[in-house]
Amino acid sequence: MKKRKLTTASGASLFHYEDSQSIGERGPLLLQDFFLHEKLAHFNRERIPERIVHAKGSGAYGTFTVTNDISKYTKAKLFNKVGKQTRLFARFSTVGGEKGSADTERDPRGFAIKFYTEDGNWDLVGNNTPVFFIKDPKKFPDFIHTQKRDPYSNCKSATMMWDYWSFNPESLHQVLILMSNRGTPDGYRFMNGYGSHTFSLVNDNNERVYVKFHYKTMQGIKNLSDSEAIYLKGIDPDYAQRDLVEAIDKGDYPKYALKIQVMTIEEADSFRWNPFDVTKVWPHASFPLIDVGVIELNENPNNYFAHVEQSAFAPSNLVDGIGFSPDKMLQGRILAYPDAHRYRIGVNYDALPVNKCPYMVNNYHRDGSMRFDDNGGDSPNYFPNSFDNIKLESTREEGMNYELKSKEVGYFDRNDNDDDHYTQPGNLFRLMCKKEQKDTITNIVNAMSGISGFKKNEIINRQLCHWFRVDRELGMEIANGLNIKIEGNK
């Protein structure tokens, strides 16, 4: 192997890498040892701000292969031919913990995918659950604060979490999933993923349908019990990261079947629940899963920071044929996600290799921190102009047009005429086998036993009322586990 010389950041040769320049063998150091300053200054800046949520993550490159023609629903080019392959990058994560937290914490898991399509990058930014805790983005900062650290003790607080959830029964569906063994998946290879939100698809005839995306593990579902998750938290906090890297290294590539549910605009108008409410699911019996293709993760990044830590996903990254919906939480994420990336890794984050569209990017964005390409060279930095040949596409705008049902602007109570927070979690609990029900009840009791302080009984009773509305047996068993006497509870 040809030897390479060691240099400064500017390319100058180095002759002393480990010994600082000093006055005499035992004397003080000199300010003129510029490489000492360069080395320490760069070291001080090695860490970028961690993500506020989804801070601890794992990632891999792979491919998406179309197995079923869905062109009747969408003109998106990545779906236009059976057998077509598209390169992708996927990132998994826990949600509430910091970057150094354990992989087996009881927490939802992020499951985001960036498809590098010929029409631009499409980001499907989801979780391993089909629903979420809240239905309005204004609630998100408060909710996440309860998942972080108490401002007084700087410790995680069960009291904060359950106090917030008890005031927001819309969280019940997601909390029930979280408290089941699905809240502690056995790594990232053995769990499902979901786009969670409602999106839309537009075909060549500019006909629109609503859609939900599912990615089903082809390795089978495997979850950890609460005791197993706690044990692994102590002996191997990087359990899921290690499992993913080692599986791919040995050629045991994880695969996930991408599927969709489709709802027509007419069906959306008559659906029992708000179809754009992310705390609800679309029943599979009414809206069956349709096969689309297979996601395979087959390449570990050669540098974690460059690829996983600097990866940036945003639901605003769409391609022609895929669109938004009136989902309120989705609408909030369209703004919040790109803003988070600009804060964390800079305004030119989309030009980083892991985030850059590998095909063609033409725009008039210029300058900004860390602009490491030619910044558009000598081409015009305004539009329209007489000098370049960059033109607007017309078909996308036509395809994305849609009508709103109301012209009224106001602050609408998200739960007014839409307050059935109990039917779907109740149905989910009754679908569980007896062992799953028992484990879920035990996990809820263990979690609620951490509630403390002079408001303890008030918070517990408020949450218990919600559990009883979900399912009477569930409520009774949780009350028994918490040693709370309920009238009629023998």
Side-chain angles (χ1 to χ4, degrees):
M1 181 183 296
K2 183 179 179 181
K3 290 187 177 180
R4 297 176 296 161
K5 67 179 182 179
L6 192 58
T7 73
T8 67
S10 60
S13 297
L14 279 171
F15 303 95
H16 299 281
Y17 189 77
E18 296 178 306
D19 300 311
S20 300
Q21 192 176 40
S22 63
I23 302 174
E25 187 174 316
R26 297 189 178 185
L29 303 183
L30 293 179
L31 185 63
Q32 71 183 33
D33 189 344
F34 64 91
F35 185 68
L36 170 64
H37 299 298
E38 177 182 305
K39 190 174 181 182
L40 293 180
H42 190 280
F43 177 74
N44 285 340
R45 293 160 177 80
E46 281 186 359
R47 298 294 175 266
I48 60 176
E50 71 173 38
R51 293 165 168 88
I52 303 299
V53 289
H54 299 275
K56 177 76 179 290
S58 304
Y61 287 97
T63 55
F64 166 68
T65 305
V66 178
T67 59
N68 185 44
D69 182 6
I70 61 166
S71 57
K72 64 183 288 188
Y73 301 117
T74 179
K75 57 186 171 182
K77 290 181 182 176
L78 80 159
F79 301 127
N80 67 4
K81 182 181 178 182
V82 172
K84 184 171 185 175
Q85 288 197 332
T86 300
R87 183 168 162 81
L88 60 84
F89 182 78
R91 184 177 184 270
F92 306 97
S93 58
T94 51
V95 176
E98 298 93 352
K99 193 173 184 296
S101 59
D103 286 348
T104 58
E105 293 276 10
R106 182 168 299 282
D107 203 6
R109 302 297 190 271
F111 193 153
I113 308 173
K114 184 182 295 290
F115 298 85
Y116 302 105
T117 90
E118 67 237 68
D119 260 354
N121 291 349
W122 171 43
D123 291 356
L124 187 53
V125 190
N127 287 326
N128 71 328
T129 58
V131 295
F132 196 62
F133 297 91
I134 51 176
K135 60 173 73 175
D136 193 292
K138 268 192 181 176
K139 294 185 174 185
F140 189 73
D142 300 286
F143 163 63
I144 292 300
H145 285 168
T146 71
Q147 307 301 299
K148 296 292 187 178
R149 295 182 178 273
D150 183 284
Y152 170 69
S153 68
N154 198 41
C155 294
K156 293 295 186 75
S157 169
T159 304
M160 290 167 56
M161 288 191 292
W162 288 104
D163 188 36
Y164 187 81
W165 288 337
S166 69
F167 276 116
N168 288 276
E170 68 200 64
S171 67
L172 281 165
H173 200 170
Q174 175 76 312
V175 172
L176 186 66
I177 295 173
L178 180 64
M179 291 297 149
S180 74
N181 288 339
R182 290 170 65 182
T184 50
D186 189 348
Y188 299 129
R189 296 185 295 136
F190 302 100
M191 68 180 195
N192 292 335
Y194 304 86
S196 300
H197 297 290
T198 300
F199 296 89
S200 59
L201 297 178
V202 179
N203 65 17
D204 281 324
N205 297 320
N206 293 324
E207 297 166 329
R208 177 182 300 274
V209 294
Y210 293 115
V211 65
K212 282 187 179 287
F213 294 98
H214 303 246
Y215 9 118
K216 302 290 190 178
T217 176
M218 298 173 72
Q219 290 71 239
I221 296 286
K222 283 175 65 177
N223 295 314
L224 301 169
S225 67
D226 195 51
S227 59
E228 289 171 329
I230 292 171
Y231 174 73
L232 286 169
K233 177 180 173 180
I235 67 165
D236 189 2
D238 301 318
Y239 172 79
Q241 164 75 9
R242 195 181 320 281
D243 175 74
L244 181 67
V245 170
E246 291 180 352
I248 294 175
D249 274 346
K250 67 184 181 183
D252 186 8
Y253 301 139
K255 293 182 180 181
Y256 308 83
L258 181 65
K259 301 173 183 285
I260 58 173
Q261 287 178 289
V262 171
M263 181 184 289
T264 66
I265 293 175
E266 293 73 26
E267 288 171 325
D269 289 341
S270 60
F271 189 49
R272 173 181 175 184
W273 293 287
N274 176 1
F276 315 116
D277 179 353
V278 75
T279 68
K280 306 287 196 303
V281 297
W282 298 356
H284 288 193
S286 302
F287 306 96
L289 292 176
I290 300 169
D291 289 330
V292 181
V294 174
I295 295 162
E296 178 184 271
L297 304 182
N298 50 32
E299 179 188 340
N300 279 318
N302 63 3
N303 184 276
Y304 179 90
F305 180 87
H307 299 266
V308 183
E309 189 64 16
Q310 291 195 130
S311 63
F313 301 83
S316 53
N317 289 345
L318 294 178
V319 295
D320 195 19
I322 304 173
F324 300 127
S325 81
D327 183 325
K328 301 295 190 297
M329 282 296 292
L330 173 60
Q331 295 281 320
R333 294 174 83 198
I334 294 168
L335 164 71
Y337 275 56
D339 185 55
H341 304 320
R342 293 180 191 113
Y343 154 73
R344 196 174 68 88
I345 47 181
V347 70
N348 291 305
Y349 73 90
D350 266 326
L352 292 165
V354 67
N355 302 319
K356 184 177 176 62
C357 173
Y359 293 94
M360 179 173 53
V361 176
N362 294 309
N363 57 49
Y364 299 92
H365 301 338
R366 296 292 188 270
D367 308 339
S369 62
M370 300 299 291
R371 188 74 197 225
F372 49 86
D373 57 12
D374 70 349
N375 197 33
D378 61 359
S379 63
N381 61 356
Y382 60 94
F383 180 88
N385 68 75
S386 304
F387 306 100
D388 65 28
N389 61 351
I390 300 175
K391 304 297 181 185
L392 283 172
E393 290 278 3
S394 59
T395 55
R396 178 184 173 92
E397 184 178 26
E398 294 169 5
M400 300 305 287
N401 287 354
Y402 60 93
E403 293 183 0
L404 298 175
K405 295 297 180 183
S406 172
K407 296 180 181 178
E408 183 180 2
V409 174
Y411 296 94
F412 300 97
D413 183 348
R414 296 288 170 253
N415 293 314
D416 189 27
N417 300 317
D418 189 21
D419 60 353
D420 181 2
H421 310 306
Y422 307 105
T423 299
Q424 288 202 358
N427 290 340
L428 175 61
F429 178 74
R430 289 182 286 274
L431 278 173
M432 295 179 181
C433 68
K434 290 298 181 182
K435 182 182 184 306
E436 289 175 316
Q437 289 182 345
K438 183 179 178 181
D439 287 346
T440 301
I441 291 166
T442 299
N443 294 337
I444 293 172
V445 170
N446 290 342
M448 290 185 66
S449 295
I451 301 172
S452 61
F454 70 98
K455 292 282 189 177
K456 173 181 176 179
N457 291 337
E458 178 184 327
I459 296 169
I460 288 176
N461 287 332
R462 187 164 54 237
Q463 185 64 37
L464 263 181
C465 287
H466 297 317
W467 290 133
F468 270 100
R469 290 187 179 102
V470 168
D471 183 271
R472 187 176 186 279
E473 178 187 353
L474 175 64
M476 292 296 256
E477 291 299 325
I478 294 172
N480 284 335
L482 294 171
N483 296 316
I484 294 174
K485 301 297 182 183
I486 303 293
E487 185 177 349
N489 189 1
K490 299 181 181 179

